[in-house]
Amino acid sequence: MLHVDLNRLAREGRARLDVDIPTDAAFWEGLDLTPRSPLEVRLEAQQAGPDVVVRGTVRGEFAQECRRCLEPVTVEIDEDLSRLFRAGDELESEESEDVLPLPRDADLDLSGPVREQVMVAVPRYVYCRAECRGLCPQCGTNWNESECDCTTDETDERWAPLRQLQSDG
């Protein structure tokens, strides 16, 4: 699906990948993400001497829950992807993580860099809106929809020595 034939790339100089990864594809296995739409991957691989440069974009929508109230939230990503695949056996340790080893066989698999870009782009925690009030820790009422009669005056006695210091000062 996300493979570049390196022999063909060497002959033609460029290769274009326009792939829509379905929401039920094996690509998503092991990722803690729920895609809402196919992931649009638009990449171009280009021969750069013995190396290969891959540039393009990754777009998609993901279903998540609000960190405060657990309501469903749709997160959209539209990310640029750029990787250099360097020929040779050794990569210098100072090189960035955008530089990867070029495989010796005739197939360049781009699913790893694309998965990595998606994992970095999708925020771990999202909010339905900035002013989300969350859930009551006592009864679970969504404070965005209604109020509850719970009191949150409970004090944790483990903090008593610090409160004593504050009142002494």
Side-chain angles (χ1 to χ4, degrees), residues 32-33 63-67 75 118-127:
D32 191 22
L33 296 173
Q64 291 189 289
E65 290 181 340
C66 175
R67 171 107 168 144
V75 174
V118 169
M119 288 300 295
V120 169
V122 176
R124 184 158 173 87
Y125 303 112
V126 296
Y127 302 102

Side-chain angles (χ1 to χ4, degrees), residues 84-101:
L84 171 65
F85 291 87
R86 175 138 306 146
D89 292 333
E90 298 178 18
L91 291 177
E92 295 182 28
S93 61
E94 298 89 36
E95 295 200 50
S96 81
E97 54 196 47
D98 292 343
V99 179
L100 302 168

Side-chain angles (χ1 to χ4, degrees), residues 43-64:
L43 301 174
E44 182 175 82
Q46 182 176 355
Q47 195 75 42
D51 304 332
V52 174
V53 177
V54 177
R55 290 188 182 103
T57 59
V58 179
R59 290 186 190 103
E61 293 181 347
F62 297 89
Q64 291 189 289

Side-chain angles (χ1 to χ4, degrees), residues 87-144:
D89 292 333
E90 298 178 18
L91 291 177
E92 295 182 28
S93 61
E94 298 89 36
E95 295 200 50
S96 81
E97 54 196 47
D98 292 343
V99 179
L100 302 168
L102 189 63
R104 292 179 184 255
D105 59 2
D107 184 51
L108 176 59
D109 183 7
L110 296 174
S111 58
V114 170
R115 283 170 56 104
E116 179 182 295
Q117 190 69 33
V118 169
M119 288 300 295
V120 169
V122 176
R124 184 158 173 87
Y125 303 112
V126 296
Y127 302 102
C128 59
R129 59 184 184 266
E131 59 278 348
C132 177
R133 296 177 57 210
L135 302 175
C136 173
Q138 308 283 318
C139 67
T141 297
N142 186 337
W143 285 335
N144 297 315

Side-chain angles (χ1 to χ4, degrees), residues 6 16 66 160:
L6 293 176
R16 182 103 181 126
C66 175

